[in-house]
């Protein structure tokens, strides 16, 4: 742990990194308990199809509020969970919740896909694909209702570990869709579009947020949309907050948008309300 903290010996640790270490081990300890008691929650954020004007999918986003620590946001929680291996348990929890929810909506005639964020670490488990397929059948959830969001970091590492790609292909054959999340921020390589079964490209919100400020960004986004189209890949813009952004994205012929303009992440009941209001 000393090496992780960046020091050469304990004595060199500043009080600030001591605090960070303490918080990390507290989070780890409490998270273990929370997972055991299923004390986490999944919120859903709608994705609006610009062609039909309908909400066609939702992204599942994990939420955790601990009695002792308070709210631990995903940007803090996920990296710690990845480091400690608890990400696999978070993943199992979110996958099960999402599959149950998708199956329930499906039963009630609500046609919504659910998009789940998964880390590369989860796919290092050679039984990952099998266990996802198991959850699908146990929850009676059609595979076609589930999307998996991976990042460019995932893509980079998957390339070197062929069994990860094998598992992706297996899931794809069963009808699961893969989404490349946070596109353009990491190790973007067009090679991944060739290598991996990506059907949706999600332009990172960083670009969308500077959309109105910079003409360069506008050209960049327009180019990304055109690139995706030419590859027969659906384009989604995330982090859409304003009507102006929406208008430009429509002009660029972006397919799907997600962001606070439509709704922040909410619980399943609220999603049902949004869908009903839409009709
Ligand atoms: P992400 O997958 O890129 O998810 C989008 C994030 O942007 C979410 O933050 C969402 O609440 C936020 N967001 C959505 N629309 C807007 C908007 O219009 N404006 C702004 N400013 N933000 C918006 P969240 O829920 O805090 O999640 C952060 C990241 O944590 C996610 O980024 C994802 O990488 C990770 N994450 C969240 N839930 C899970 C999970 O269940 N498993 C894994 N492995 N990662 C997760
Ligand atoms: Mg995502
Ligand atoms: Mg994203
Ligand atoms: Mg992100």
């Amino acid at each position: 742990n000393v090496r992780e903290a960046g020091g050469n010996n304990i004595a060199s640790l500043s009080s600030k990194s001591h605090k960070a270490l303490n918080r990390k081990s507290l989070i780890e300890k409490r998270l273990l308990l929370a997972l055991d008691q299923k004390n986490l929650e999944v919120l859903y954020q709608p994705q609006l199809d610009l062609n039909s004007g309908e909400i066609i999918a939702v992204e599942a986003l994990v939420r955790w509020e601990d009695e002792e620590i308070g709210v631990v946001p995903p940007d803090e929680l996920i990296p710690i969970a990845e480091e400690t291996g608890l990400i696999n348990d978070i993943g199992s929890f979110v996958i099960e919740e999402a599959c149950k929810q998708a199956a329930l909506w499906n039963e009630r005639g609500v046609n919504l896909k659910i998009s789940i964020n998964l880390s590369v670490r989860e796919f290092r488990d050679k039984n990952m694909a099998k266990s996802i397929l198991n959850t699908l059948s146990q929850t009676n959830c059609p595979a076609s209702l589930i999307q998996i969001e991976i990042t460019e970091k995932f893509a980079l590492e998957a390339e070197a570990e062929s069994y990860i790609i094998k598992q992706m292909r297996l899931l794809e054959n069963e009808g699961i869709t893969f989404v490349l999340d946070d596109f353009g921020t990491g190790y973007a390589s067009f090679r991944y579009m060739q290598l991996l079964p990506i059907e949706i490209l999600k332009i990172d919100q960083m670009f969308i947020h500077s959309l109105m400020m910079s003409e360069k960004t506008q050209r960049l986004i327009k180019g990304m949309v055109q690139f995706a189209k030419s590859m027969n890949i659906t384009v989604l813009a995330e982090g859409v907050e304003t009507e102006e952004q929406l208008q430009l994205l429509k002009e660029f012929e972006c397919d799907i948008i997600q962001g606070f303009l439509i709704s922040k992440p909410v619980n399943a009941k609220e999603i049902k309300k949004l869908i009903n209001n839409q009709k």
Side-chain angles (χ1 to χ4, degrees), residues 45 59-63 73-75 78 82 87 90 94 117-119 122 149 151 181-182 202 204-205 209 238-241 258-261 263 265:
Q45 187 179 33
E59 178 175 12
L61 294 158
V62 74
R63 292 292 179 265
D75 285 331
I78 300 298
E82 278 176 353
I87 192 68
I90 292 183
V94 174
N117 296 283
L118 294 179
S119 305
E122 298 175 70
E149 299 195 3
T151 60
D181 201 355
D182 303 347
K202 209 165 172 179
D204 191 78
Q205 45 184 294
H209 294 163
E238 71 175 336
V240 179
E241 294 178 353
Q258 179 183 346
F260 295 165
L261 180 66
S263 164

Side-chain angles (χ1 to χ4, degrees), residues 160-208:
E161 297 167 72
S162 60
Y163 64 93
I164 295 181
I165 301 184
K166 253 186 224 149
Q167 298 204 74
M168 290 176 75
R169 297 246 176 248
L170 187 80
L171 293 171
E172 185 206 18
N173 284 338
E174 295 293 326
I176 286 181
T177 303
F178 282 92
V179 180
L180 188 57
D181 201 355
D182 303 347
F183 182 74
T185 56
Y187 314 84
S189 167
F190 295 128
R191 202 170 60 246
Y192 300 134
M193 297 297 172
Q194 212 179 20
L195 194 69
L196 305 175
I198 303 291
E199 278 178 54
I200 301 176
L201 193 152
K202 209 165 172 179
I203 300 175
D204 191 78
Q205 45 184 294
M206 184 190 92
F207 296 107
I208 310 304

Side-chain angles (χ1 to χ4, degrees), residues 120-133:
V120 70
R121 170 138 194 184
E122 298 175 70
F123 274 83
R124 294 237 160 80
D125 173 356
K126 295 202 160 101
N127 287 317
M128 184 60 178
K130 236 188 243 158
S131 99
I132 292 175
L133 295 177

Side-chain angles (χ1 to χ4, degrees), residues 33-56:
L33 198 71
L35 282 164
D36 200 43
Q37 304 174 338
K38 299 202 182 231
N39 246 340
L40 295 96
E41 199 188 355
V42 178
L43 293 186
Y44 301 95
Q45 187 179 33
Q47 300 178 341
L48 183 81
D49 179 63
L50 292 180
N51 295 313
S52 66
E54 280 175 14
I55 295 169
I56 52 167

